[in-house]
Amino acid sequence: MMGYSHSLSGAAAWLAAAPVVALVAPMGPREVLMGAVVTAGGALLPDLDSVGSTASRALGGASRGFSRLVRHASGGHRQGTHSLLAAGLMGLLAQLGVVLGFSWAPVALVLWVGLRGLKLLRSAKTVLLAFAACVAGVVGLHYAGVGMSWVGVAVALGALAHLVGDALTPEGVPLMWAPWHRRARRYTLSLFTTNTWPEHLVVTPILVVGILLLGRLSLVG
Ligand SMILES: [Zn+2]
């Protein structure tokens, strides 16, 4: 799927899961809203194995080399980064940042990617400047009392939503991929091809309506 659809799927997954997540990590409307954007960002991270992806472009020129490195290490596009193991590791790394007191770093990074993915921020003079604004925003939210204990779950959930989205396309995803199991079976429902009319006219509108309905349920009740 395209970056925009992936972002929407992440936000929708978060809003659907928020009542359950709230059982283990206390959340109010501010956390739910922020979590939707963080999960939207998490839903773009698996495509860091592709130089032209939304996540890679959102992180600026320096990410080209990083994406090539990720692609090489994970065995190519839609290989290692599109596995359950990778989704879990992404969530774990983000949570580690929160536990160690560096929540501003992973949260600002994923928040920035999510804002770009959802097309809420189309352009910025420099990526560094925009990222600095995100860091300032996250630090401000932290001091305003916004909890961050849900971040790891949000990032992992976003990555899982990405895997589901790509599993709808013919290329599928190697869910059980691991460094010791690189030829994992690819799972696919083969419902539509990326960037064709079913994605634009069916999947994207369903996700937008889902977000509006779930958002109303989560925030208004
Ligand atoms: Zn993908």
Side-chain angles (χ1 to χ4, degrees):
M1 290 206 303
M2 301 291 287
Y4 184 50
S5 312
H6 278 307
S7 296
L8 291 174
S9 75
W14 171 258
L15 291 172
V20 181
V21 180
L23 296 176
V24 288
M27 293 196 300
R30 293 182 303 179
E31 284 83 0
V32 172
L33 265 180
M34 189 178 164
V37 182
V38 169
T39 315
L44 292 171
L45 296 184
D47 277 350
L48 272 175
D49 64 5
S50 172
V51 170
S53 67
T54 307
S56 187
R57 282 185 285 118
L59 298 179
S63 68
R64 286 170 174 268
F66 178 68
S67 279
R68 289 199 184 97
L69 198 72
V70 171
R71 189 188 187 105
H72 181 70
S74 62
H77 179 46
R78 280 212 197 190
Q79 294 290 337
T81 59
H82 286 62
S83 64
L84 294 174
L85 180 69
L89 280 176
M90 287 174 202
L92 207 64
L93 275 175
Q95 194 63 25
L96 205 63
V98 174
V99 172
L100 295 177
F102 297 112
S103 58
W104 57 269
V107 179
L109 201 69
V110 187
L111 195 73
W112 161 241
V113 174
L115 285 169
R116 286 293 304 268
L118 290 170
K119 298 185 179 178
L120 296 174
L121 262 185
R122 278 177 180 269
S123 61
K125 253 199 158 94
T126 71
V127 169
L128 269 182
L129 204 65
F131 179 60
C134 276
V135 170
V138 169
V139 171
L141 287 168
H142 174 69
Y143 282 108
V146 175
M148 304 278 172
S149 55
W150 44 267
V151 166
V153 174
V155 170
L157 186 66
L160 285 175
H162 184 109
L163 302 188
V164 172
D166 276 354
L168 301 179
T169 66
E171 298 94 324
V173 283
L175 289 180
M176 305 310 287
W177 187 99
W180 55 90
H181 184 47
R182 287 176 166 251
R183 295 170 68 88
R185 177 191 157 189
R186 301 186 79 85
Y187 292 84
T188 174
L189 291 174
S190 201
L191 293 182
F192 60 87
T193 304
T194 299
N195 201 14
T196 53
W197 70 266
E199 178 173 349
H200 299 299
L201 300 181
V202 181
V203 177
T204 303
I206 286 176
L207 288 170
V208 170
V209 172
I211 286 171
L212 293 176
L213 291 176
L214 289 166
R216 194 180 182 285
L217 269 176
S218 290
L219 297 168
V220 185

